[in-house]
mmCIF file of all heavy atoms in Angstrom:
data_model
loop_
_atom_site.group_PDB
_atom_site.id
_atom_site.type_symbol
_atom_site.label_atom_id
_atom_site.label_comp_id
_atom_site.label_asym_id
_atom_site.label_seq_id
_atom_site.Cartn_x
_atom_site.Cartn_y
_atom_site.Cartn_z
ATOM 1 N N LEU A 36 3.297 116.158 67.698
ATOM 2 C CA LEU A 36 4.353 116.500 68.656
ATOM 3 C C LEU A 36 5.739 116.270 68.063
ATOM 4 O O LEU A 36 6.665 117.050 68.297
ATOM 5 C CB LEU A 36 4.179 115.678 69.938
ATOM 6 C CG LEU A 36 3.129 116.181 70.920
ATOM 7 C CD1 LEU A 36 2.812 115.103 71.953
ATOM 8 C CD2 LEU A 36 3.619 117.451 71.616
ATOM 9 N N GLU A 37 5.884 115.195 67.288
ATOM 10 C CA GLU A 37 7.172 114.933 66.647
ATOM 11 C C GLU A 37 7.510 116.049 65.647
ATOM 12 O O GLU A 37 8.654 116.502 65.564
ATOM 13 C CB GLU A 37 7.148 113.581 65.936
ATOM 14 C CG GLU A 37 7.135 112.383 66.873
ATOM 15 C CD GLU A 37 8.442 112.236 67.647
ATOM 16 O OE1 GLU A 37 9.464 112.824 67.230
ATOM 17 O OE2 GLU A 37 8.431 111.542 68.678
ATOM 18 N N ALA A 38 6.503 116.509 64.897
ATOM 19 C CA ALA A 38 6.738 117.606 63.947
ATOM 20 C C ALA A 38 7.107 118.884 64.689
ATOM 21 O O ALA A 38 8.025 119.611 64.289
ATOM 22 C CB ALA A 38 5.492 117.823 63.090
ATOM 23 N N SER A 39 6.406 119.151 65.796
ATOM 24 C CA SER A 39 6.703 120.339 66.601
ATOM 25 C C SER A 39 8.109 120.267 67.184
ATOM 26 O O SER A 39 8.826 121.276 67.246
ATOM 27 C CB SER A 39 5.673 120.472 67.723
ATOM 28 O OG SER A 39 5.970 121.560 68.565
ATOM 29 N N ARG A 40 8.497 119.061 67.594
ATOM 30 C CA ARG A 40 9.839 118.860 68.158
ATOM 31 C C ARG A 40 10.916 119.191 67.131
ATOM 32 O O ARG A 40 11.917 119.844 67.453
ATOM 33 C CB ARG A 40 9.961 117.407 68.619
ATOM 34 C CG ARG A 40 11.308 117.003 69.162
ATOM 35 C CD ARG A 40 11.229 115.610 69.774
ATOM 36 N NE ARG A 40 12.545 115.131 70.129
ATOM 37 C CZ ARG A 40 13.289 114.338 69.375
ATOM 38 N NH1 ARG A 40 12.821 113.908 68.210
ATOM 39 N NH2 ARG A 40 14.490 113.960 69.767
ATOM 40 N N MET A 41 10.725 118.779 65.886
ATOM 41 C CA MET A 41 11.708 119.068 64.838
ATOM 42 C C MET A 41 11.750 120.568 64.533
ATOM 43 O O MET A 41 12.816 121.133 64.304
ATOM 44 C CB MET A 41 11.380 118.269 63.576
ATOM 45 C CG MET A 41 11.460 116.763 63.751
ATOM 46 S SD MET A 41 13.034 116.218 64.513
ATOM 47 C CE MET A 41 14.203 116.750 63.246
ATOM 48 N N MET A 42 10.602 121.228 64.546
ATOM 49 C CA MET A 42 10.572 122.677 64.317
ATOM 50 C C MET A 42 11.293 123.411 65.447
ATOM 51 O O MET A 42 11.988 124.404 65.207
ATOM 52 C CB MET A 42 9.134 123.156 64.171
ATOM 53 C CG MET A 42 8.487 122.755 62.862
ATOM 54 S SD MET A 42 6.875 123.546 62.573
ATOM 55 C CE MET A 42 5.868 122.658 63.763
ATOM 56 N N HIS A 43 11.126 122.917 66.674
ATOM 57 C CA HIS A 43 11.805 123.548 67.800
ATOM 58 C C HIS A 43 13.327 123.408 67.658
ATOM 59 O O HIS A 43 14.066 124.355 67.947
ATOM 60 C CB HIS A 43 11.342 122.949 69.127
ATOM 61 C CG HIS A 43 11.999 123.557 70.318
ATOM 62 N ND1 HIS A 43 11.705 124.833 70.765
ATOM 63 C CD2 HIS A 43 12.970 123.080 71.147
ATOM 64 C CE1 HIS A 43 12.458 125.109 71.819
ATOM 65 N NE2 HIS A 43 13.219 124.064 72.073
ATOM 66 N N LYS A 44 13.782 122.251 67.222
ATOM 67 C CA LYS A 44 15.219 122.064 67.023
ATOM 68 C C LYS A 44 15.757 123.064 65.998
ATOM 69 O O LYS A 44 16.873 123.577 66.134
ATOM 70 C CB LYS A 44 15.509 120.626 66.586
ATOM 71 C CG LYS A 44 15.379 119.598 67.701
ATOM 72 C CD LYS A 44 15.774 118.223 67.212
ATOM 73 C CE LYS A 44 15.747 117.219 68.364
ATOM 74 N NZ LYS A 44 16.752 117.543 69.404
ATOM 75 N N ASN A 45 14.968 123.325 64.974
ATOM 76 C CA ASN A 45 15.389 124.311 63.974
ATOM 77 C C ASN A 45 15.447 125.711 64.580
ATOM 78 O O ASN A 45 16.369 126.496 64.287
ATOM 79 C CB ASN A 45 14.430 124.288 62.789
ATOM 80 C CG ASN A 45 14.889 125.168 61.653
ATOM 81 O OD1 ASN A 45 15.989 125.019 61.136
ATOM 82 N ND2 ASN A 45 14.047 126.115 61.259
#
Side-chain angles (χ1 to χ4, degrees):
L36 280 166
E37 289 292 342
S39 177
R40 177 171 172 263
M41 297 309 297
M42 287 189 288
H43 180 72
K44 286 184 176 296
N45 186 56

